[in-house]
Amino acid sequence: MISSETASPDAADPRTPRDETPPREAATEAPPPRTSFGAAPRFSVVTAGPDEVELVVAFGPRDYAVRLAPAEAAELGVALLATASVAADAAQTVPAGTRVENCFFPVLGWTAGEVGPGMPALALRLAEGTEIAVQFDRAAARACGRDLARSGRVPFRERLRRILRRRAPAGPQGA
């Protein structure tokens, strides 16, 4: 159901189709699910002014729009990505109806580079082929790389314990 407070004027009446170019569909490995309308839903997001975005859900010839503030759109985006990641992870058995608001996203791959001179970027590939690209300034990119490298290293104290355990005598022999 679309509230008139959050929907665009065109979408307030669900019987009124909006005349827009259909959104690009994301490439998927499996065919998209069918709805009761017989067609797969299509999703797009467009700007709707200086402080609003519009989520458009299209079923067949009809588009239904919901206006969101940028913070609401960010919350929805994270929830959708988290839920898709959790649902795609065969190792996690999550019962139907479980509310997922955020999670640690499993990174399946990444690419680091520059999107332009002096503009470092990191693209992450998540579950279901979703990719997120993050742009940094040079200082933030260096700090991020250092923090990731540091978190991936075994602390010196633990490395020392491992070495000392290997060299420790096995105990008294014979007697």
Side-chain angles (χ1 to χ4, degrees):
M1 183 169 167
I2 298 174
S3 159
S4 61
E5 295 149 11
T6 57
S8 69
D10 294 348
D13 182 357
R15 295 168 294 173
T16 308
R18 293 188 34 189
D19 189 20
E20 286 187 359
T21 307
R24 291 186 307 154
E25 292 188 31
T28 59
E29 293 174 9
R34 301 291 173 198
T35 65
S36 59
F37 295 104
R42 296 180 318 276
F43 305 95
S44 64
V45 179
V46 296
T47 57
D51 294 325
E52 291 182 314
V53 298
E54 193 168 78
L55 169 65
V56 180
V57 181
F59 294 101
R62 295 188 177 140
D63 288 358
Y64 302 93
V66 177
R67 292 253 171 134
L68 301 168
E72 294 168 326
E75 183 179 346
L76 175 62
V78 169
L80 287 170
L81 283 172
T83 306
S85 289
V86 168
D89 187 354
Q92 290 189 54
T93 53
V94 180
T98 300
R99 183 180 180 133
V100 180
E101 294 174 339
N102 204 345
C103 70
F104 286 102
F105 297 104
V107 175
L108 305 177
W110 64 88
T111 303
E114 289 187 326
V115 292
M119 294 189 308
L122 176 65
L124 303 173
R125 187 169 38 85
L126 307 175
E128 293 299 303
T130 302
E131 289 192 12
I132 296 177
V134 182
Q135 182 179 326
F136 297 88
D137 62 34
R138 283 194 185 280
R142 279 193 286 275
C144 179
R146 277 193 306 270
D147 287 348
L148 281 170
R150 189 176 308 125
S151 68
R153 278 195 297 254
V154 176
F156 177 73
R157 186 176 298 191
E158 180 61 30
R159 290 192 320 252
L160 187 59
R161 274 192 208 128
R162 289 178 188 172
I163 292 169
L164 293 174
R165 268 187 267 161
R166 277 188 263 160
R167 293 184 184 172
Q173 303 251 340

